[in-house]
Amino acid sequence: ASDGDDPSASGADPEGLPWWWDAFWSLPFTKPTENGTPVELGDTMRIFKANIEQTYGGMENEDGLPLAEGALDDLTDGTMFIGLQRYYKQCGSPYKLLFGPKSFTVISSAP
């Protein structure tokens, strides 16, 4: 990974995030590694940062997919298909789900 993979590296200021946000992400342990090197903490943290900025800071995601918004309970109560179908109806296909440091692209052909 590299700063080129960081959607917020463009200098855009995510709104709605705390005043210390940019200062925290300038700390050395949050820096991503160079492409082709083993993944380290900073790489994982940058994914988490991008997910937070997309969810709470209004930042655009690089792939342009709509973000599915809802409660995690929609997917974990044993009726995952119904939750995914609801997001499909809301966002179309494909769409993105964000859970902490993980992001998923969902491609669906649900009726």
Side-chain angles (χ1 to χ4, degrees), residues 14-35:
E15 295 188 25
L17 297 172
W19 60 268
W20 47 264
W21 187 254
D22 290 331
F24 175 80
W25 291 104
S26 67
L27 296 172
F29 71 92
T30 67
K31 299 294 181 202
T33 59
E34 294 294 321
N35 287 336

Side-chain angles (χ1 to χ4, degrees), residues 52-74:
I52 291 170
E53 289 178 346
Q54 290 170 26
T55 303
Y56 301 107
M59 295 290 288
E60 292 289 324
N61 58 38
E62 289 185 7
D63 52 28
L65 296 176
L67 299 178
E69 296 183 25
L72 185 58
D73 293 344
D74 291 346

Side-chain angles (χ1 to χ4, degrees), residues 4-110:
D5 297 330
D6 182 0
S8 64
S10 65
D13 186 28
E15 295 188 25
L17 297 172
W19 60 268
W20 47 264
W21 187 254
D22 290 331
F24 175 80
W25 291 104
S26 67
L27 296 172
F29 71 92
T30 67
K31 299 294 181 202
T33 59
E34 294 294 321
N35 287 336
T37 60
V39 174
E40 294 184 6
L41 176 64
D43 301 309
T44 302
M45 291 182 71
R46 289 295 163 148
I47 294 169
F48 193 62
K49 176 182 188 258
N51 289 352
I52 291 170
E53 289 178 346
Q54 290 170 26
T55 303
Y56 301 107
M59 295 290 288
E60 292 289 324
N61 58 38
E62 289 185 7
D63 52 28
L65 296 176
L67 299 178
E69 296 183 25
L72 185 58
D73 293 344
D74 291 346
L75 301 176
T76 61
D77 66 357
T79 57
M80 184 177 197
F81 174 77
I82 294 171
L84 292 173
Q85 186 179 34
R86 187 176 311 123
Y87 293 137
Y88 166 76
K89 288 179 180 178
Q90 177 185 1
C91 300
S93 180
Y95 61 89
K96 184 181 272 189
L97 290 173
L98 304 176
F99 296 107
K102 304 288 184 189
S103 59
F104 303 90
T105 299
V106 180
I107 301 172
S108 177
S109 61

